[in-house]
């Protein structure tokens, strides 16, 4: 058995910058998935690899604290391609990452690929499990079996990865509380370091959305609430800190890369559909291999929805995403980070949330949502939008 060394501790207070690479390939499309992904042909992969190189050459490259290779399914790539992508990122962005996550799927991860990733310096593996039950996997259109999950998890641990996340999904049509509880128990039995638990959403243009709109399946909001609460209580009792609405970690295993994005740090996104927030702007690449390649050929990246960042926009998003974190938001620190931003319009809103039992304040400027608040954090976020006045970075003297 390979000895598992604990990763170097990383300060969770630091802000990125982070690097994200979208690998837009999957073995097949899951019935709930709205991410940009295609089933690849060999030529697609060759052109993708060439274009990632082209996009890197267009970036203002610099040392990055974290890297997250997601998708899609990065593990569908050949180990030789995983290696060449990894070397490209290392060479361009500072030689090593303090935290480096690669997403894998149970059906495509192999010991040889894991060895290459470990040798490159990847520190964290995130595996899309969704469920341990054949019926649920079938209902989600997942192309793997429970047996493949267990085998892949063993390979990941045997390869020496000491930081492993499992993704699970709940509120699957037909799933009851006992079935979800059984998935949570099975996940805990494997002792992962981190768990992401997502409530199934029905995104347009997915097979599940079609089934929902045809009345073949039903959504049950009362069950969703029950399963959220069951998850939070069960995982807390199992020693996993609930640090974001959908994320849980054993001590020292929060995802630093995601924390940076939720706290509105900078990140560079590469690949089709990847969003970036860097150097005073945010934008995304087109969710299409052809359109992305054409943009790069013209020397362009991050054109879709591109907007200049302003202190008001960043402060607003730092509050909206920060309230999804159990640490909440330090409004006093945000006022120091964005001098000149007036938070006064927010205060009556925060007071109303407090009066309604949805938010608590420590009296020193830090606010966080209660359990009841977290259950409706999307609605609370939508109400916050527009409450922080806009000023450009130039007006606020943050940028020239
Ligand atoms: S493996 Fe992940 S990215 Fe690919 S189709 Fe399924 S959910 Fe979407």
């Amino acid at each position: 058995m390979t000895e598992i060394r604990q990763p170097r501790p990383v300060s969770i207070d630091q802000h990125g910058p982070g690097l994200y690479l979208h690998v837009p390939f999957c073995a097949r499309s899951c019935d709930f998935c709205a991410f940009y992904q295609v089933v690849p042909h060999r030529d697609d992969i060759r052109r993708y690899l060439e274009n990632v190189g082209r996009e890197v050459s267009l970036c203002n490259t610099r040392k990055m604290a974290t890297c997250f290779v997601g998708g899609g399914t990065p593990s569908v790539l050949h180990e030789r391609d995983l290696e060449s992508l990894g070397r490209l990122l290392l060479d361009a962005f500072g030689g090593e990452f303090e935290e480096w996550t690669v997403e894998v799927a149970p059906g495509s991860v192999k010991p040889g690929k894991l060895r290459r990733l470990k040798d490159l310096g990847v520190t964290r593996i995130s595996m899309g499990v969704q469920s341990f039950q054949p019926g649920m996997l079938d209902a989600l259109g997942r192309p793997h079996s429970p047996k493949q999950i267990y085998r892949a998890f063993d390979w990941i641990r045997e390869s020496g990865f000491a930081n492993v996340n499992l993704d699970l999904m709940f509120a699957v049509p037909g799933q009851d509380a006992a079935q979800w509880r059984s998935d949570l128990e099975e996940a805990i039995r494997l002792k992962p370091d981190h768990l992401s638990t997502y409530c199934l959403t029905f995104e347009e243009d997915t097979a599940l959305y079609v089934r929902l709109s045809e009345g073949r399946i039903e959504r049950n909001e009362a069950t969703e609430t029950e399963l959220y609460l069951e998850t939070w209580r069960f995982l807390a009792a199992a020693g996993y800190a609930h640090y974001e609405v959908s994320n849980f970690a054993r001590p020292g295993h929060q995802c630093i890369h995601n924390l940076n994005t939720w706290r509105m740090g900078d990140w560079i996104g590469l690949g089709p559909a990847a969003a970036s927030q860097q150097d005073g702007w945010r934008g995304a690449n087109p969710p299409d291999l052809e359109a992305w390649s054409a943009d790069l050929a013209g020397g362009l990246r991050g054109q879709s929805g591109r907007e200049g960042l302003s202190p008001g926009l960043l402060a607003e998003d730092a509050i909206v995403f920060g309230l999804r974190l159990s640490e909440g938001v330090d409004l006093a620190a945000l006022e120091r980070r964005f001098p000149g931003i007036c938070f006064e319009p927010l205060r009556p809103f925060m007071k109303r949330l407090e009066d309604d039992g949805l938010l608590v304040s420590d009296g020193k400027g830090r606010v966080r949502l209660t359990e009841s608040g977290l259950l409706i954090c999307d609605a609370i976020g939508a109400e916050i939008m527009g409450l922080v006045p806009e000023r450009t970075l130039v007006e606020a003297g943050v940028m020239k």
Side-chain angles (χ1 to χ4, degrees):
M1 182 76 131
T2 313
E3 187 197 350
I4 297 180
R5 276 181 299 143
Q6 290 303 314
R8 218 162 6 123
V10 180
S11 164
I12 61 166
D13 292 329
Q14 73 189 32
H15 283 272
L19 178 67
Y20 174 76
L21 172 66
H22 189 77
V23 179
F25 304 118
C26 289
R28 62 170 258 196
S29 190
C30 302
D31 291 355
F32 59 92
C33 184
F35 295 118
Y36 173 61
Q37 36 77 26
V38 293
V39 178
H41 301 291
R42 180 65 224 172
D43 200 46
D44 288 337
I45 294 177
R46 183 188 55 73
R47 281 200 308 140
Y48 168 76
L49 296 173
E50 281 170 13
N51 277 300
V52 173
R54 190 165 293 151
E55 185 162 15
V56 166
S57 71
L58 292 174
C59 286
N60 172 14
T61 54
R62 67 196 90 160
K63 173 91 180 101
M64 292 298 197
T66 61
C67 179
F68 196 109
V69 181
T73 312
S75 59
V76 298
L77 294 177
H78 190 281
E79 59 186 71
R80 184 187 52 238
D81 296 335
L82 285 170
E83 166 121 22
S84 68
L85 272 178
R87 297 257 166 247
L88 174 73
L89 301 181
L90 285 171
D91 289 349
F93 295 99
E96 64 173 345
F97 305 111
E98 289 165 79
E99 179 193 87
W100 186 355
T101 302
V102 176
E103 289 185 334
V104 303
S108 57
V109 66
K110 296 282 178 291
K113 296 181 188 182
L114 290 163
R115 265 196 306 278
R116 295 252 191 162
L117 295 176
K118 189 80 177 105
D119 290 347
L120 279 166
V122 169
T123 62
R124 185 171 182 270
I125 296 291
S126 177
M127 180 159 72
V129 167
Q130 314 316 345
S131 176
F132 294 92
Q133 298 168 44
M136 291 297 119
L137 292 171
D138 206 36
L140 292 167
R142 293 289 289 178
H144 63 255
S145 65
K147 194 171 158 199
Q148 285 174 306
I149 300 171
Y150 298 122
R151 194 178 58 177
F153 190 82
D154 285 347
W155 284 338
I156 293 166
R157 285 303 198 201
E158 284 163 14
S159 303
F161 288 100
N163 199 354
V164 180
N165 169 61
L166 301 181
D167 282 350
L168 295 175
M169 189 157 273
F170 63 91
V172 180
Q175 182 187 46
D176 60 25
Q179 285 170 313
W180 173 233
R181 173 85 177 222
S182 151
D183 269 342
L184 288 172
E185 284 169 348
E186 196 55 10
I188 296 309
R189 197 181 63 76
L190 293 178
K191 299 190 176 68
D193 308 284
H194 188 285
L195 280 162
S196 298
T197 62
Y198 299 110
C199 182
L200 178 65
T201 54
F202 296 86
E203 308 288 338
E204 273 186 58
D205 295 330
T206 63
L208 276 184
Y209 179 84
V210 172
R211 268 178 249 159
L212 182 73
S213 47
E214 290 173 353
R216 289 194 279 151
I217 52 174
E218 281 180 1
R219 190 180 158 201
N220 184 331
E221 290 183 31
T223 304
E224 289 176 9
T225 301
E226 181 193 355
L227 299 188
Y228 264 114
L229 294 172
E230 166 76 6
T231 309
W232 297 347
R233 287 166 194 166
F234 181 85
L235 292 181
Y240 288 80
H242 184 198
Y243 72 103
E244 195 266 351
V245 66
S246 302
N247 287 281
F248 306 81
R250 291 171 51 208
H253 290 277
Q254 290 101 330
C255 179
I256 309 300
H257 179 87
N258 286 340
L259 279 170
N260 172 60
T261 59
W262 295 326
R263 290 170 176 161
M264 292 300 118
D266 269 15
W267 71 92
I268 291 176
L270 306 172
S276 295
Q277 175 162 290
Q278 58 173 111
D279 305 320
W281 61 270
R282 82 165 54 139
N285 287 332
D288 178 81
L289 275 165
E290 288 295 328
W292 169 64
S293 308
D295 271 8
L296 295 175
L300 300 172
R301 50 181 298 272
Q303 293 302 301
S304 190
R306 193 174 178 110
E307 60 183 339
L309 293 173
S310 68
L313 188 62
L314 282 174
E316 186 175 88
D317 284 351
I319 294 166
V320 170
F321 286 90
L323 284 177
R324 299 170 67 89
L325 298 170
S326 55
E327 69 184 16
V329 178
D330 185 346
L331 291 173
L334 278 185
E335 285 180 88
R336 288 193 296 278
R337 183 175 164 197
F338 303 109
I341 287 293
C342 173
F343 288 87
E344 284 313 311
L346 261 180
R347 298 197 201 286
F349 178 70
M350 295 286 179
K351 176 79 173 59
R352 178 159 67 77
L353 294 180
E354 204 172 348
D355 291 346
D356 291 346
L358 300 170
L359 175 139
V360 286
S361 161
D362 69 357
K364 297 179 214 149
R366 182 175 286 278
V367 291
R368 64 176 177 79
L369 293 182
T370 60
E371 216 170 56
S372 308
L374 275 180
L375 284 171
I376 55 163
C377 61
D378 288 344
I380 291 173
E383 283 201 64
I384 289 172
M385 297 288 191
L387 288 179
V388 180
E390 279 297 312
R391 293 178 79 214
T392 67
L393 290 168
V394 177
E395 281 166 349
V398 176
M399 286 189 74
K400 293 214 168 67

